[in-house]
Amino acid sequence: MRGVRAWLDERLAFSDVIDALRHKTVPHHRYSVWYYFGGMTLFLFGIQVGTGALLLLYYRPSAAEAYESVQFIVTRVPFGWLVRSIHAWSANLMVACAVAHLFSVLFLHAYRRPRELTWFSGVLLLLLTLAFGFTGYLLPWNEVSFFATRVGTDIAAAVPLMGRGIVRFMRGGDEVTGATLTRLFGFHVAVLPAIASGLVALHLLLVQRHGMSVPPSIERQAVHDPAAVRAMPFIPHFLLRDLFAWTIVLAVLAALSTFYPWELGTKADPFAPAPAGIRPEWYFLWAFESLKHVPPTIAGINGELIAVAVMGAGALAALLLPLLAGHTARARRAVVWVGAVALLFMALMTGLALSAAAP
Amino acid sequence: MHSHNTPSGRRSVLNWLLGLWGGGVCGAVLYPVARYLAPPEIPEAATQSVMAGSAESLAPNSARAVAFGSRPAIVIRTAAGDLRAFSATCTHLDCTVQYRPDLQRLWCACHNGQYDLNGRNVAGPPPRPLEAFDVNVKDDQIALSRRSG
């Protein structure tokens, strides 16, 4: 064993890395529970890659066969229902963990210098996660996902000049058809994973390079009371806590997938009306509900265009937060307020969408 | 003064050539990829009319969904007994509308848009009316046709 290790170490030189990890410490304070959400998101990403690969073995990406192949997976393939259910639930938990991670980083001001690139890569990863959700949603080719994709892609039509081109790029033509299915399938299983893998690697490298950020309030407290921040060894203390968090995630995932298997719904019919009660996945509900309340025109301008512009500006502001936010305590308070208002708006709109009944 | 014969002058020419080569390679790769990603336009003969089934079997205050080329259409028999037909694609975000007998209106389930029996957008976010089709009945068969002009 020792001989094999020495042989490998001579070629890979990994003992330096292990040595560094042995000496690595993580700050421990009253907010350190939020450090675990990034790891949980990464764990769920791993589950998505694994279950996604398993689904690929039976899934057929065409309008004529997609629904039937998923039906085959959940009814005939041993444990197929479980694999598909885990993939769908894990996607939802992954979005939830990524959003919790983003807002905790925002509220604890971990985006500050020198962690700007970590924040940029993180926001891009959240957007990629949403893109994974959007592209994966259509793949079972059911009624709900068909209309969600029609609406979701048509929103881009509001963009001046390029709108129609963007819609055609996403749909693979003018309508949502089998061409859209194969296109979104390609994005979902090849293009997005390739980009995500690179960004995850960069994000993790940056987290290792800079270490965990200590919130400014704790830093101030530590000046008078050094016990406010203690150093926790990464191996084994933090690593075991990480594994414990992953185990909880796995337990929740297994329970949800088993007791609430993900439904398949009815096959998409391009000529049938949109069914009553149609709505997108919960993480797009706030945008869906907002679009309902935007009037057709505002001061003579297309209302949809204004909504798209506001959402785009919001996403851009979130991405560029470390450059926009100042370094003073007052600027940090402003960031907390803006973050809280955004969170409250999204929660309110989601609540409204969930409680909305047909007229 | 740099001249092309000095080492730094030669280096700047080489850098310029290297940049030109790099730009050329990137362009030669990216242009076909970008063109490949945009789906080709497939010319399709515009559908001018379709048959929409039996008129007799369409009860008052009900509707029937039919395909009009590659797009959905809807034929309604109003409570008063008239036949009307519209494109069923909501002008807001491309969902497919349905007839609501309780409201006697066309309703889009996606964002709660409503149209009256003339296809006019009367509630919710839709910005434009629905396209109306001409309805003719011959031997109990409903024919829908696109209005000219």
Side-chain angles (χ1 to χ4, degrees):
Chain A
M1 196 64 201
R2 192 167 288 177
V4 174
R5 196 188 153 141
W7 189 89
L8 282 175
D9 191 27
E10 198 184 340
R11 278 140 195 95
L12 296 170
F14 57 76
S15 60
D16 295 355
V17 178
I18 290 176
D19 231 35
L21 284 177
R22 270 212 189 105
H23 291 99
K24 179 181 158 73
T25 61
V26 176
H28 187 60
H29 49 80
R30 64 195 158 102
Y31 295 128
S32 41
V33 65
W34 295 106
Y35 289 155
Y36 299 97
F37 279 87
M40 282 148 74
T41 314
L42 179 67
F43 176 63
L44 289 164
F45 178 68
I47 289 183
Q48 289 307 85
V49 174
T51 50
L54 290 177
L55 289 173
L56 267 178
L57 302 183
Y58 291 102
Y59 178 74
R60 290 192 291 267
S62 77
E65 292 182 303
Y67 182 84
E68 285 75 7
S69 69
V70 179
Q71 205 168 34
F72 180 77
I73 290 172
V74 296
T75 56
R76 302 287 301 279
V77 180
F79 290 107
W81 64 273
L82 184 64
V83 174
R84 173 173 185 249
S85 200
I86 288 182
H87 194 73
W89 273 113
S90 172
N92 283 277
L93 290 182
M94 189 178 155
V95 173
C97 281
V99 169
H101 183 46
L102 178 121
F103 275 99
S104 68
V105 167
L106 183 137
F107 288 133
L108 297 175
H109 309 289
Y111 52 81
R112 290 168 300 150
R113 182 169 163 261
R115 295 184 177 79
E116 295 94 332
L117 291 178
T118 323
W119 171 268
F120 296 155
S121 58
V123 173
L124 290 177
L125 277 169
L126 177 68
L127 294 177
L128 270 182
T129 307
L130 297 178
F132 267 115
F134 184 76
T135 52
Y137 201 50
L138 181 69
L139 302 188
W141 197 248
N142 59 25
E143 208 175 32
V144 180
S145 67
F146 176 79
F147 284 107
T149 307
R150 270 206 16 200
V151 172
T153 48
D154 201 55
I155 290 173
V159 177
L161 301 175
M162 295 157 64
R164 189 169 169 269
I166 299 172
V167 174
R168 280 178 54 78
F169 165 72
M170 289 196 288
R171 290 183 174 178
D174 290 314
E175 308 285 335
V176 172
T177 59
T180 319
L181 183 68
T182 36
R183 186 161 279 238
L184 295 194
F185 172 75
F187 284 130
H188 192 76
V189 306
V191 180
L192 295 179
I195 302 171
S197 305
L199 270 178
V200 166
L202 174 71
H203 196 70
L204 289 179
L205 183 77
L206 288 168
V207 170
Q208 293 309 315
R209 211 15 84 87
H210 297 301
M212 302 293 200
S213 154
V214 177
S217 62
I218 301 286
E219 263 174 357
R220 275 197 308 278
Q221 205 182 338
V223 174
H224 312 291
D225 173 20
V229 191
R230 280 167 295 160
M232 181 200 276
F234 181 74
I235 295 174
H237 297 60
F238 189 81
L239 197 61
L240 285 176
R241 280 171 164 81
D242 239 352
L243 286 178
F244 182 65
W246 293 10
T247 311
I248 293 174
V249 170
L250 191 63
V252 170
L253 186 58
L256 287 171
S257 309
T258 311
F259 296 118
Y260 304 97
W262 206 261
E263 293 204 4
L264 179 56
T266 47
K267 189 176 176 176
D269 174 358
F271 298 107
I278 187 165
R279 59 179 189 222
E281 293 268 59
W282 62 270
Y283 43 87
F284 289 129
L285 275 181
W286 66 273
F288 161 83
E289 185 67 22
S290 309
L291 281 174
K292 265 192 198 174
H293 299 284
V294 175
T297 52
I298 302 169
I301 305 169
N302 184 339
E304 220 178 293
L305 174 63
I306 292 178
V308 170
V310 169
M311 284 179 202
L316 192 66
L319 180 68
L320 300 179
L321 174 73
L323 306 180
L324 300 175
H327 304 294
T328 60
R330 217 174 129 190
R332 284 200 294 273
R333 269 198 301 278
V335 168
V336 170
W337 274 105
V338 171
V341 168
L343 200 58
L344 203 69
F345 171 75
M346 288 196 268
L348 185 76
M349 282 293 149
T350 308
L352 267 179
L354 289 174
S355 63
Chain B
M1 274 294 283
H2 288 309
S3 121
H4 287 311
N5 292 327
T6 64
S8 64
R10 279 201 292 276
R11 177 162 297 170
S12 77
V13 169
L14 282 175
N15 279 342
W16 190 83
L17 284 174
L18 198 64
L20 195 68
W21 168 79
V25 169
C26 287
V29 172
L30 292 178
Y31 177 73
V33 170
R35 288 297 305 269
Y36 182 89
L37 286 173
E41 300 269 0
I42 300 167
E44 200 182 331
T47 307
Q48 293 305 328
S49 65
V50 293
M51 300 308 287
S54 151
E56 191 108 334
S57 62
L58 191 59
N61 202 21
S62 73
R64 180 183 295 154
V66 291
F68 198 101
S70 60
R71 310 282 288 180
I74 188 164
V75 197
I76 306 160
R77 177 160 324 257
T78 65
D82 300 344
L83 283 172
R84 300 190 184 168
F86 304 96
S87 154
T89 304
C90 182
T91 56
H92 177 222
L93 284 174
D94 215 18
C95 263
T96 306
V97 299
Q98 58 184 287
Y99 181 65
R100 283 277 299 261
D102 54 336
L103 302 172
Q104 299 203 2
R105 280 180 175 178
L106 288 150
W107 176 65
C108 180
C110 289
H111 300 93
N112 206 11
Q114 293 183 27
Y115 303 85
D116 67 11
L117 291 174
N118 293 313
R120 279 194 303 249
N121 46 319
V122 286
R128 290 182 304 281
L130 294 171
E131 184 189 354
F133 297 132
D134 284 328
V135 184
N136 290 294
V137 180
K138 195 178 173 194
D139 302 333
D140 189 40
Q141 289 299 305
I142 304 172
L144 310 185
S145 50
R146 209 179 280 280
R147 287 183 180 170
S148 48

